[in-house]
């Protein structure tokens, strides 16, 4: 008789259920921002994307330090990861996702704000990312590596539409 592991190996199926005691659950919170600016053409918006060493495009974000409020975390992390000084604008929302391996599953909530640059330079970004750049909003939605990040950019575009007209790449 064939074992369930042998059947999974033959079919390429993965084990999908585990006993509740075998997986630990955790919760993580982060904060970040969609840094934006209007291009010369009214209604055209650019946002800042960061690229990880794994060549994934994302938004700047990070974890709170001791006693830090989420908006303070967002400002600090964006400054560190992009090299830009920014000011906080309207809150966009919270991106939620889970990640982990066989022994632990983490449910993460990342709070995002719109932000506008007030100074600084990409040359001053930390070494956590290999590239930082301005990208047209439409291009950014196609470039980001995860669908939930593209959805968050869509939410940001809806907020920006009220300010600059239909936000376009």
């Amino acid at each position: 008789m064939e074992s369930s592991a042998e059947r999974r190996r033959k079919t390429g199926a993965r084990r999908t259920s585990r006993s509740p005691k075998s997986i630990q659950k955790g919760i993580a919170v982060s904060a970040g921002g969609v840094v934006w600016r209007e291009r010369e053409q009214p209604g055209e918006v650019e946002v800042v994307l960061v690229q990880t060493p794994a060549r994934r495009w994302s938004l700047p974000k990070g974890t709170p330090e001791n006693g830090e409020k989420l908006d303070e975390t967002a400002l600090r992390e964006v400054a560190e990861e992009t090299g830009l000084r920014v000011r906080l604008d309207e809150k966009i929302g919270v991106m939620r996702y889970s990640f982990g391996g066989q022994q632990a599953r983490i449910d993460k909530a990342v709070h995002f704000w719109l932000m506008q640059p007030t100074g600084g330079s990409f040359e001053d970004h930390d070494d956590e990312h290999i590239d930082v750049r301005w990208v047209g909003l439409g291009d950014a939605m196609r470039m980001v590596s995860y669908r939930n990040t593209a959805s968050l950019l869509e939410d940001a575009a809806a907020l920006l539409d009220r300010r600059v007209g239909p936000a376009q790449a």
Side-chain angles (χ1 to χ4, degrees), residues 97-118:
Y97 57 94
S98 295
F99 64 92
Q102 295 180 357
Q103 299 302 314
R105 194 89 196 134
I106 306 296
D107 292 328
K108 188 163 188 174
V110 187
H111 298 255
F112 278 97
W113 283 262
L114 287 174
M115 297 181 175
Q116 290 186 284
T118 61

Side-chain angles (χ1 to χ4, degrees), residues 76-112:
R76 178 184 51 76
E77 285 289 341
V78 167
E80 289 173 5
E81 293 185 4
T82 67
L84 299 176
R85 289 187 307 279
V86 294
R87 71 175 169 81
L88 208 58
D89 203 335
E90 190 171 354
K91 187 166 185 180
I92 301 168
V94 181
M95 181 187 340
R96 297 182 190 281
Y97 57 94
S98 295
F99 64 92
Q102 295 180 357
Q103 299 302 314
R105 194 89 196 134
I106 306 296
D107 292 328
K108 188 163 188 174
V110 187
H111 298 255
F112 278 97

Side-chain angles (χ1 to χ4, degrees), residues 45-104:
V45 171
E46 293 178 309
V47 297
V48 174
L49 293 183
V50 294
Q51 189 179 42
T52 68
R55 305 272 185 218
R56 291 186 175 104
W57 287 101
S58 189
L59 296 167
K61 65 185 181 309
T63 305
E65 292 181 349
N66 295 334
E68 210 173 37
K69 294 178 183 175
L70 288 174
D71 59 345
E72 295 167 337
T73 300
L75 289 168
R76 178 184 51 76
E77 285 289 341
V78 167
E80 289 173 5
E81 293 185 4
T82 67
L84 299 176
R85 289 187 307 279
V86 294
R87 71 175 169 81
L88 208 58
D89 203 335
E90 190 171 354
K91 187 166 185 180
I92 301 168
V94 181
M95 181 187 340
R96 297 182 190 281
Y97 57 94
S98 295
F99 64 92
Q102 295 180 357
Q103 299 302 314

Side-chain angles (χ1 to χ4, degrees), residues 16-37:
T16 57
S17 63
R18 300 189 184 283
S19 78
K21 294 180 183 176
S22 67
I23 297 178
Q24 297 179 13
K25 281 211 146 208
I27 297 173
V29 176
S30 291
V34 175
V35 182
W36 71 279
R37 69 180 182 189

